[in-house]
Amino acid sequence: MTISLGYQIPNFTYPGGVESLFDTVAAQAREAEASGFDTVLVMDHFYQLPGIGTPDQPMMEAYSTLAALAVSTSTIQLSALVTGNTYRNPTLLAKTVTTLDVISHGRAILGIGAGWFELEHEQLGFDFDTFTERFEKLDEALQIIHPMLRDERPEITGKWYRAHGAMNVPRFRESIPIMLGGQGERKTFRLAARYADHMNIICAIEDLPHKLQVLKQRAEEIDRDPSTLKTSYLASAVIVETQAEADAILQSLPEERRSRAFVGTATTVADRIQTEILDAGVDGVIVNAPLNGHVPGVVTALGEALAPLVRQ
């Protein structure tokens, strides 16, 4: 498994309303599949995130959406970026991802993180706990999920979770890849080194070289070959024709998202992603297009501009 070029769908507010909502999502996935992307990803949230919209805007449940996309596509990998561990019991999550792998004929990836959106937890009744406790939970969950995705039967009685010989059948593959997402150097990166096949790094672009170096150190600390832990970077992309359009879009974005926004002509966006992301040593890139990804042709333009950068 590798994610060289992923397309994330973080926005479900489209013209046409709910009647055509999933059709618009599926159309983006098929465009991505046809234009050089190797993975389609959705967010695992129940409310829309700050910086993209308001909490009451449409948000599709991740794994129902991915299962539907599995039968709407044929070759592209499917994942959440990333599953909030706090929303599901780990044995249920392992079963859910394994079922997605069966439905998709071996195209599922488990993307997972500790969970962070407090409003969802508060209003929907999920325990939010402290920052430290959420990472304790994630560590325990991975002790259960990792073996369950590899046809092993974990036996664990932890502080937060328990599993006693948990079975996980049917299975399509001997193992399902695991991706962690985030930027935490002490907790997330250590868990990635221990359990993950892939690390998606979400950080300010200027911090990326440092993050890659720390991730390498975390792998070396447990005698893991760092080259076996593949990496990608999450970026937002908007293709426009003029600099004036680009300037207006950048000014409209929340300040914390501007450093991860690549706005300009297709050539400009591709050149910046090559220089600022891939040349920094990242193995791949995941892009989203929350402003206009639903417009037919936009995903194709992104794929055609970016696929040559990662094609082996």
Side-chain angles (χ1 to χ4, degrees):
M1 184 279 298
T2 185
I3 301 175
S4 296
L5 183 60
Y7 177 67
Q8 185 208 35
I9 304 174
N11 181 25
F12 300 99
T13 301
Y14 310 132
V18 69
E19 293 82 2
S20 59
L21 197 161
F22 178 72
D23 295 335
T24 303
V25 174
Q28 292 175 73
R30 287 190 291 265
E31 267 197 54
E33 186 173 63
S35 61
F37 289 92
D38 55 55
T39 311
V40 165
L41 311 98
V42 297
M43 298 197 302
D44 184 31
H45 285 287
F46 304 100
Y47 293 173
Q48 184 53 275
L49 301 187
I52 299 178
T54 57
D56 59 343
Q57 288 180 333
M59 180 55 58
M60 301 276 279
E61 193 280 321
Y63 283 97
S64 303
T65 304
L66 291 169
L69 290 177
V71 296
S72 302
T73 58
S74 59
T75 61
I76 203 158
Q77 298 176 122
L78 300 163
S79 181
L81 185 62
V82 285
T83 309
N85 177 62
T86 48
Y87 300 137
R88 297 169 188 84
N89 179 280
T91 56
L92 172 62
L93 179 57
K95 185 71 171 180
T96 299
V97 174
T98 304
T99 300
L100 176 63
D101 204 52
V102 171
I103 295 169
S104 66
H105 296 145
R107 293 185 281 137
I109 297 169
L110 170 61
I112 191 168
W116 64 270
F117 194 11
E118 187 171 6
L119 179 65
E120 289 178 329
H121 293 75
E122 177 185 331
Q123 294 195 354
L124 298 174
F126 296 106
D127 291 337
F128 190 61
D129 304 308
T130 66
F131 177 82
T132 296
E133 288 170 335
R134 292 198 303 279
F135 276 92
E136 288 179 357
K137 284 185 170 182
L138 179 58
D139 192 344
E140 274 191 21
L142 286 166
Q143 293 176 47
I144 294 171
I145 295 168
H146 186 275
M148 286 186 69
L149 297 186
R150 284 151 179 79
D151 197 25
E152 300 170 13
R153 299 176 60 176
E155 187 72 38
I156 176 174
T157 300
K159 177 180 177 181
W160 303 101
Y161 305 117
R162 64 186 185 276
H164 303 297
M167 295 182 287
N168 190 21
V169 290
R171 295 166 53 256
F172 189 85
R173 289 184 285 177
E174 291 185 1
S175 65
I176 295 173
I178 296 174
M179 169 178 66
L180 263 67
Q183 62 173 316
E185 298 176 10
R186 290 184 298 134
K187 298 181 184 294
T188 302
F189 284 6
R190 282 197 169 98
L191 291 175
R194 192 181 313 158
Y195 296 109
D197 303 281
H198 190 98
M199 179 72 216
N200 178 252
I201 300 172
I202 304 172
C203 67
I205 195 73
E206 60 268 21
D207 295 334
L208 183 56
H210 171 72
K211 296 293 183 183
L212 288 168
Q213 181 58 38
V214 174
L215 184 62
K216 178 182 177 183
Q217 291 172 359
R218 296 293 175 257
E220 290 172 341
E221 286 168 1
I222 60 170
D223 296 323
R224 176 175 178 176
D225 179 356
S227 69
T228 65
L229 179 54
K230 299 300 182 181
T231 56
S232 58
Y233 181 82
L234 178 63
S236 292
V238 186
I239 293 178
V240 297
E241 295 302 320
T242 69
Q243 188 59 47
E245 291 177 284
D247 292 341
I249 288 171
L250 284 169
Q251 286 302 312
S252 72
L253 296 176
E255 187 172 351
E256 66 274 11
R257 290 182 176 268
R258 289 179 196 167
S259 70
R260 292 191 282 114
F262 294 76
V263 185
T265 64
T267 300
T268 299
V269 168
D271 287 347
R272 282 194 60 203
I273 285 177
Q274 178 68 62
T275 301
E276 299 177 37
I277 298 177
L278 298 174
D279 286 352
V282 181
D283 298 304
V285 62
I286 298 172
V287 298
N288 57 38
L291 295 183
N292 62 356
H294 63 280
V295 176
V298 168
V299 177
T300 298
L302 282 170
E304 291 177 347
L306 299 177
L309 307 183
V310 298
R311 191 171 291 138
Q312 301 300 318

Short mmCIF file of all heavy atoms in Angstrom, two decimals, residues 12 99 124 135 164 167 244:
data_model
loop_
_atom_site.label_atom_id
_atom_site.label_comp_id
_atom_site.label_asym_id
_atom_site.label_seq_id
_atom_site.Cartn_x
_atom_site.Cartn_y
_atom_site.Cartn_z
N PHE A 12 -19.44 18.79 1.93
CA PHE A 12 -20.62 18.17 1.32
C PHE A 12 -21.74 19.18 1.11
O PHE A 12 -22.91 18.81 1.00
CB PHE A 12 -21.11 17.01 2.19
CG PHE A 12 -20.09 15.93 2.39
CD1 PHE A 12 -19.33 15.87 3.54
CD2 PHE A 12 -19.89 14.97 1.41
CE1 PHE A 12 -18.38 14.88 3.72
CE2 PHE A 12 -18.94 13.96 1.58
CZ PHE A 12 -18.19 13.92 2.73
N THR A 99 -14.76 -5.13 6.68
CA THR A 99 -15.93 -5.26 5.80
C THR A 99 -15.78 -4.36 4.59
O THR A 99 -16.10 -4.77 3.46
CB THR A 99 -17.22 -4.92 6.57
OG1 THR A 99 -17.36 -5.82 7.67
CG2 THR A 99 -18.43 -5.04 5.67
N LEU A 124 -22.94 15.04 20.90
CA LEU A 124 -23.37 13.71 20.50
C LEU A 124 -23.18 12.65 21.59
O LEU A 124 -23.59 11.50 21.42
CB LEU A 124 -22.62 13.28 19.23
CG LEU A 124 -22.89 14.17 18.01
CD1 LEU A 124 -21.99 13.76 16.85
CD2 LEU A 124 -24.34 14.12 17.59
N PHE A 135 -4.96 9.89 23.86
CA PHE A 135 -3.84 9.16 23.28
C PHE A 135 -3.62 7.83 23.98
O PHE A 135 -3.16 6.86 23.36
CB PHE A 135 -2.58 10.01 23.26
CG PHE A 135 -2.52 10.91 22.05
CD1 PHE A 135 -3.03 12.19 22.10
CD2 PHE A 135 -2.02 10.44 20.85
CE1 PHE A 135 -3.02 13.01 20.98
CE2 PHE A 135 -1.99 11.24 19.72
CZ PHE A 135 -2.49 12.53 19.79
N HIS A 164 -11.14 -10.22 24.07
CA HIS A 164 -10.76 -11.55 24.53
C HIS A 164 -10.89 -12.54 23.37
O HIS A 164 -11.94 -13.10 23.12
CB HIS A 164 -11.63 -11.97 25.71
CG HIS A 164 -11.57 -11.01 26.86
ND1 HIS A 164 -10.40 -10.78 27.56
CD2 HIS A 164 -12.51 -10.20 27.41
CE1 HIS A 164 -10.63 -9.88 28.50
NE2 HIS A 164 -11.90 -9.52 28.44
N MET A 167 -12.41 -12.32 17.11
CA MET A 167 -12.30 -12.83 15.74
C MET A 167 -12.74 -11.76 14.75
O MET A 167 -13.56 -10.89 15.07
CB MET A 167 -13.14 -14.09 15.57
CG MET A 167 -12.67 -15.25 16.41
SD MET A 167 -13.66 -16.75 16.13
CE MET A 167 -15.18 -16.30 16.98
N ALA A 244 -5.08 37.64 -9.41
CA ALA A 244 -6.10 38.37 -8.65
C ALA A 244 -7.08 37.39 -8.00
O ALA A 244 -7.47 37.55 -6.84
CB ALA A 244 -6.84 39.34 -9.55
#
